[in-house]
Amino acid sequence: MIDSLISFLEQLMQMPIFYPLVTLLIIGDALAPIIPSETVLNLAGAFSASVGVPNPMGVIVAAIIGAVIGDNICYLLGNRLIGVVNRLDPNSKAGSAITWVKRNMKRRAGVTIIVARFIPWARWVATIVLGSIRYPWLSFFVYDTIGAVIWAFLGVGVGYLGGSLFADWPLLAMVVGVTLGSLVGLAIQRIQVRLFEWLDVRRGVSKL
């Protein structure tokens, strides 16, 4: 069964339509953060290193396009979707993301936009909140694009690293690639939190 799954994924990733599918998947993830787009990038990177397909740069470009389009759609729909955001359970993952976004947006909006790209619910909330308060679109577009580029390169690159380490074992390469990708996203969030706390201390800003 595992061999059949690997064979199916290999055939799918060889098809030219795979790249548009990645773009559509990531647009969907931006609009409804229930689709594991990071996992797709990690898997694609791992497969590229261990099996030879897909083309990693093709996946990165497709991911960047999808992320930018999806995030900007959310931004444009900010006024309509902010009501949905405000009704979310504050104790849920989405609710925690809302708290994180609103707290950090007041400190460093640009950095928050970039880091939010690595946190599924946070990037969704951030784009909607920014759109609803009419944050300057050009600034949003620039920071969001930077975040999308870093996110895409890291997502595929980390998966590729895992695939390279276990090139003879595609299944293990996939598992390692996805695991590394998850750890990178978590590490980026933790670093951002520490950085903001350090900057607040230097500026004498209270956490309250």
Side-chain angles (χ1 to χ4, degrees):
M1 182 177 178
I2 293 176
D3 290 340
S4 298
L5 174 62
I6 293 174
S7 177
F8 168 75
L9 290 174
E10 183 177 353
Q11 291 178 13
L12 175 63
M13 292 183 186
Q14 286 178 336
M15 298 178 181
I17 198 174
F18 176 72
Y19 304 100
L21 285 176
V22 170
T23 297
L24 290 174
L25 177 73
I26 293 173
I27 291 174
D29 175 53
L31 299 174
I34 56 176
I35 303 172
S37 57
E38 287 88 356
T39 302
V40 173
L41 299 188
N42 299 152
L43 285 175
F47 250 82
S48 180
S50 61
V51 181
V53 292
N55 182 296
M57 280 307 302
V59 178
I60 289 170
V61 171
I64 293 170
I65 292 172
V68 171
I69 291 175
D71 290 348
N72 278 270
I73 291 175
C74 275
Y75 174 89
L76 292 173
L77 295 176
N79 283 329
R80 297 185 180 183
L81 295 176
I82 191 63
V84 176
V85 170
N86 290 334
R87 288 194 297 270
L88 292 172
D89 181 2
N91 295 319
S92 65
K93 287 185 177 179
S96 299
I98 294 171
T99 302
W100 180 86
V101 168
K102 289 184 175 180
R103 182 179 67 245
N104 290 308
M105 200 67 67
K106 295 177 182 178
R107 296 165 164 176
R108 299 283 192 285
V111 176
T112 301
I113 293 170
I114 294 172
V115 174
R117 168 50 37 198
F118 294 84
I119 311 170
W121 281 102
R123 63 175 173 249
W124 182 73
V125 170
T127 54
I128 293 172
V129 170
L130 289 167
S132 70
I133 64 173
R134 301 188 183 279
Y135 181 82
W137 174 79
L138 183 58
S139 295
F140 170 81
F141 178 80
V142 170
Y143 286 123
D144 183 67
T145 301
I146 292 172
V149 170
I150 297 172
W151 172 78
F153 270 93
L154 276 179
V156 177
V158 169
Y160 194 93
L161 174 61
S164 299
L165 294 173
F166 301 96
D168 295 331
W169 300 280
L171 179 61
L172 184 58
M174 287 190 294
V175 173
V176 172
V178 171
T179 302
L180 287 175
S182 300
L183 292 175
V184 166
L186 181 61
I188 288 174
Q189 183 182 7
R190 293 291 177 84
I191 291 170
Q192 179 266 343
V193 170
R194 296 292 185 185
L195 175 62
F196 278 10
E197 289 178 349
W198 178 75
L199 289 173
D200 285 347
V201 170
R202 289 200 63 184
R203 294 166 56 203
V205 176
S206 170
K207 293 182 181 180
L208 301 175

